Amino acid sequence: MANWLSMQSTAEKYGIPEEQIREWIRLDYVTHSSFLKRDPCDDPNPMVDTDELDKVLESNSIKSCPDDETIERVPKGHLDWLYQENARLAKINDDLREEIYSHVQWEKELNDDFTKITELANKVISLHRQIIMDYEGLLNAKMGIRSFLRYLFLSKKNKYLT
């Protein structure tokens, strides 16, 4: 059943300018009635069906119409979908942040392990060089004794032979 209020009462109740209600009446968004049975644009105070006005406000997702004309009206169903999509994307974003964090931690561990392996490899190379130098020194020492003994014995042998 329709609830009828005058345009002025409706404007006060919903906080909507009378010009906006007149525009909705002109566009047939809201059911109206005139006591004088004339065009509602000519009637100074037509009666407005508030049930219809509630439906219009709900479909436009507004409870009152501010004076700011820059606000874009979005249907309530679309607005609900946007909220759901925003929540879904926020969850995906959080999951991705956690994944990135775990990858960063893993990369840090790999970097630390790589540093340790590099240090160990450098130690192994250093030890290998030391072993080679010690071995060469040992060979030189053996060769030095052998060459000295050869010189000593062969040169003396040659002296005595001549």
Side-chain angles (χ1 to χ4, degrees), residues 20 24 60-62 64-69 71-75:
Q20 182 68 43
W24 286 341
N60 288 317
S61 289
I62 58 172
S64 66
C65 182
D67 292 335
D68 187 5
E69 294 178 11
I71 296 176
E72 183 178 336
R73 305 296 178 212
V74 179

Side-chain angles (χ1 to χ4, degrees), residues 105-118:
Q105 293 301 326
W106 184 57
E107 185 177 340
K108 183 180 176 195
E109 290 175 17
L110 287 175
N111 196 17
D112 292 344
D113 292 345
F114 178 74
T115 304
K116 290 176 186 176
I117 288 172
T118 304

